[in-house]
Amino acid sequence: MSPINRRTVLTAALGAAAISSTPLVTGMGATLAHATSDKDVYDTNTDLYKKLSGQEGIQFARRYRRHELLDNERGERHPYHRTTIMALHGGGIEKGTSELCLGIAGYWPHNLEALFPGEPVYDYWMFEGLRLPSMNLGSNRDLHVTAKHCDDHVALSMAASSLNVLSLHGCTAEQAGVRSGQDPKVVVVGGLNAAFKKLLHEELGKHFKTVDGDDFPDLAGVNPANPCNRTMLGKGGQLELSTELRASFFDKDTMDGRPGSTNDEFKKFAGACRKAIARLETRSDQVIL
């Protein structure tokens, strides 16, 4: 790959150094995961934003954080953003992925304080479904936009200005190939970054059951249009966690209850992902000069 100008990279990375303050809300609102666009109501994120104009913070939310980078000196070299964590179907769409996104990024989901003090924090972006049954607005599933159709300008600019992306999704145990009588707690490891996949298998596999996305095309995360692969290197990682695995990370199963009810398994999963990221970032083939 030809070199990318460092200042161009940093300019893109600094385009929106902010974090939204939309709160989580009470209620289940969670639906079964869907890995394809077969049942999508909206063609793209832009289509959803236009048709639900004025409903951000009510029916859906976007939360993100870009950590500030400064490049004020001609003669000094400053780091660019290396890894971004994403949850494209958070909130009540694929429950638990919002909280995991924050946890892997290095933050406690309930107060955004450091989950791993003294360790690096990562940029993050998420889209969340906030619908409650009492709203009579339909299911959070209707807010699902399949990853390859995500065109949110902040999400794509963050992916494009990062060396690597780890994207979190939810699936059912059946979608992940679990048969009757088998442990339904499983994570499917995908994405186009083969080195990252190997590291995720190694680190997550110490504590959790992993399967390879190559065996499950709908969960593989290999479409080049998927934000996890729209990075500076043109490749990234994706995790599809079964419903049962995600549920095992929390003591409360509501949108306002999950952030403050994380358990040791939650931190163990987030920590394993962070170890894989840290190992990836030391590789010489994961650098653009």
Side-chain angles (χ1 to χ4, degrees), residues 15-289:
I19 178 173
S20 75
S21 58
T22 304
L24 295 174
V25 297
T26 307
M28 290 286 287
T31 56
L32 292 178
H34 292 78
T36 69
S37 60
D38 293 346
K39 298 181 180 180
D40 282 0
V41 175
Y42 304 99
D43 294 333
T44 62
N45 285 68
T46 297
D47 183 42
L48 183 150
Y49 301 154
K50 288 180 177 179
K51 292 177 178 176
L52 295 182
S53 178
Q55 294 300 299
E56 187 161 6
I58 300 172
Q59 295 196 45
F60 69 92
R62 288 174 286 180
R63 291 195 285 165
Y64 64 91
R65 183 165 189 168
R66 280 176 156 170
H67 298 86
E68 186 175 27
L69 292 177
L70 298 178
D71 189 7
N72 295 327
E73 301 294 334
R74 293 178 177 176
E76 295 185 13
R77 180 178 180 81
H78 298 273
Y80 37 70
H81 288 282
R82 300 182 68 83
T83 301
T84 295
I85 316 300
M86 292 188 166
L88 276 61
H89 308 132
I93 305 173
E94 293 169 358
K95 62 181 181 179
T97 56
S98 296
E99 294 78 14
L100 281 169
C101 179
L102 291 170
I104 297 171
Y107 297 96
W108 284 107
H110 65 293
N111 60 12
L112 297 183
E113 293 182 0
L115 176 57
F116 301 91
E119 295 186 14
V121 289
Y122 301 107
D123 291 2
Y124 61 80
W125 183 93
M126 67 184 78
F127 175 90
E128 299 177 289
L130 303 181
R131 288 177 174 176
L132 303 174
S134 59
M135 294 178 175
N136 295 318
L137 294 172
S139 132
N140 278 298
R141 167 63 187 87
D142 292 342
L143 301 175
H144 178 282
V145 175
T146 196
K148 66 183 179 181
H149 293 160
C150 175
D151 64 350
D152 182 278
H153 68 286
V154 175
L156 296 186
S157 68
M158 292 180 72
S161 58
S162 300
L163 279 178
N164 194 49
V165 164
L166 178 61
S167 186
L168 305 166
H169 293 265
C171 66
T172 66
E174 182 180 12
Q175 287 174 318
V178 176
R179 298 180 180 179
S180 178
Q182 294 180 326
D183 186 353
K185 296 190 292 294
V186 62
V187 54
V188 181
V189 181
L192 286 176
N193 192 327
F196 194 20
K197 284 179 60 179
K198 181 177 183 294
L199 295 172
L200 287 166
H201 274 297
E202 290 177 358
E203 295 297 341
L204 287 169
K206 296 175 182 178
H207 311 286
F208 305 95
K209 179 182 178 182
T210 69
V211 296
D212 201 285
D214 290 346
D215 297 327
F216 304 94
D218 287 343
L219 307 179
V222 294
N223 193 302
N226 186 321
C228 79
N229 297 318
R230 299 183 69 166
T231 66
M232 292 165 61
L233 297 174
K235 57 187 177 181
Q238 176 175 291
L239 298 177
E240 292 266 4
L241 293 82
S242 69
T243 305
E244 292 80 5
L245 178 59
R246 285 175 281 127
S248 72
F249 297 150
F250 310 96
D251 296 329
K252 295 183 180 180
D253 193 19
T254 59
M255 276 192 279
D256 67 333
R258 281 192 296 274
S261 70
T262 57
N263 54 35
D264 290 342
E265 292 298 291
F266 173 90
K267 192 170 184 179
K268 188 184 298 182
F269 190 95
C273 291
R274 289 171 60 83
K275 288 180 181 177
I277 292 169
R279 291 176 62 190
L280 181 73
E281 291 185 347
T282 64
R283 292 174 58 102
S284 60
D285 61 349
Q286 302 296 311
V287 175
I288 291 179
L289 299 177

